[in-house]
Amino acid sequence: MPNTIAVELRDVVKAFGSVVAVDNLSLSIPDGEFFSLLGPSGCGKTTTLRMIAGFEMPTSGEIDIAGEAQGYRPAHRRPVNTVFQHYALFPHMTVYDNVAFGLQMQKVDKSAIARRVAESLDLVQLNGMDKRRPKQLSGGQQQRVALARALINRPKVLLLDEPLGALDLKLRKEMQVELKTLQQEVGITFIYVTHDQEEALTMSDRIAVMDQGRVQQLGVPEDIYERPVSRFVADFIGETNFLHCMVMQTAPRGEVELAGGIRVPVSWIREGISPGSQALLSLRPEKINLFELSDTYPTGPDSAVVHGHVERLVYVGTDTHHTIKLDNGATVIARVQNFHVEEEPWEIGEEVIVQWDAAHARVFRE
Amino acid sequence: MEQTLRRNPALRAWLLIAPAGLFLLIFFILPLFIVIIYGFLERGTYGGVVWQFTAENFSRVFDSLYFSTFLRSLYIAVLTTLFCILVGYPLAYFMTSRPPRQRNLLLLLLMIPFWTNFLIRTYAWLTLLRTNTGLINVTLMNLGIIKEPLPLFGNDFAIVLGLVYGWLPVAVLPMYASLDRLDRSLVEAARDLYASGGQVFRRVIWPLSLPGVVAGSMLVFIPSLGAFVTPAILGGGKSLMIGNVISNQFLAAHDWPFGSALSTLMMVIMLFATLLYFRSTALKAKEERA
């Protein structure tokens, strides 16, 4: 079966006065995908979602939903439903009336509404709560009502605007798994807006990382985390070390020179950076290996090796963050997983060999 | 002294309410009792009372003459309330839809009439509405639009107009407050769930702003029912309300006991109206919590 497109944005621009919130955005989201718009506040992700919902109209460009151009069609005529950031449940209505609202507006007959409300509440595990009012429910339960209220209409696309933001950490993690399961169960396209990179990585099929109204990188979670294409993406998603460097050569293999004349191999240099120019090497803390001077460590053309001293240790449970002062003056943080509790820890000031594989080193513009 | 106060929060609380409590006792509760007691006494020849118990004043209250005046007052008060909502609600809605800076300006504009004496403002209407010399009729006749002056003055129309004008800001404020509190994302949620503009209003905006509408209505209804200045000036001496009847008992007819009885009855009716309002809003609040 060919993958049909659920939502397509073509050259969409949204300006509020002189402020451009969304800048020439084009996206194509296939049916059944869990798609996330990820970025810091003010990056245009919510505005994008609101334009798909029909709460905002694009200044220019086009939005298609299920193959149909939406033009200036208002929200109540679009085949999408929204789960709002603070749920926006109707406080004066029972759970039943909240969930039934969409069907009532579409003049579905009463017995069918009753059946589908029961099904929907069943889907989100809220059976027997139908007579309660939103205020009598916990945050997690309200969240489920909001989901049921949207999903009961069997929308082509479900839009979710930071729906887990108001929940505490543990509940949020549970709901992440539940949302993903639910999405696979109902097979509806989810477009999920979040500023929480872990949330996006956990649930999404694909992620668009946004900044300043533009998509900075679009890809599967692994791509976004392991192969960021810009300083912004590397910095925003997870933690990373940035080292100033000068590009020595880009082909046949990449090589840069760190401060102090240390040359290291790199796997990827952003297009357009020519040899001789200043750049930034990015390296995830968990990709760094630490060796004692007496250890044998990987050598060879794909291994980068720098000497340094342990400056600080922060124990965080699953692993320990080692702050290393390199001999060339730069500082890196290495995350080392705590496999063996009985192992002698590093001592402050101890000399250490810092090693990483070229595959994990990526070079961006400064 | 300071130590005693610190150790005795109850005493501190009493001290705080003492000035207001004393004031209300002397200038409100005491006179109120005097009015109620006067209602049960016989009239003196030149005003004042004769200390002789009687219930006759209260039975006279239900005399058809006074009762019909009361009904007319009720009718005018209801009409005033209705128009205040019809005009005030859209205004309140409009105000909440403005950006914050404009909102404050609009609120200020709304309150400006209160800086002028109510009597003067009512007389201003007189110059506009008067039958033969009023600005409106004179202008329309000079322009040849009408031949006979319109009946703008000395009737219920003039009274209702004057009352709506006077109480509109008071009606708008609570409606504005409840509309302002209304979470706009609820409107979007209803839209998102296929509700048209009308349906959004009926199912979401109106029920959620109802407490403000009820509060505004009470704030208009109660003073309108007892209105005295407006009907006296704009009613042209013919169109009277119960407030004028009461003032006449004291000032013209020298029948203080009967005036007191009428006042007492009005107070009881308004008390019931207020209680009803508090019960209905309290019930609603309870429902939402339940």
Side-chain angles (χ1 to χ4, degrees), chain A residues 33 72 96 110 212 292 303 328 333 355:
Chain A
E33 187 168 69
Y72 290 104
Y96 182 96
K110 281 208 167 102
Q212 297 179 350
E292 288 184 54
S303 178
N328 65 7
I333 292 175
Q355 183 273 335

Side-chain angles (χ1 to χ4, degrees), chain A residues 296-310:
Chain A
T296 49
Y297 52 84
T299 49
D302 284 331
S303 178
V305 178
V306 186
H307 285 250
H309 288 83
V310 177

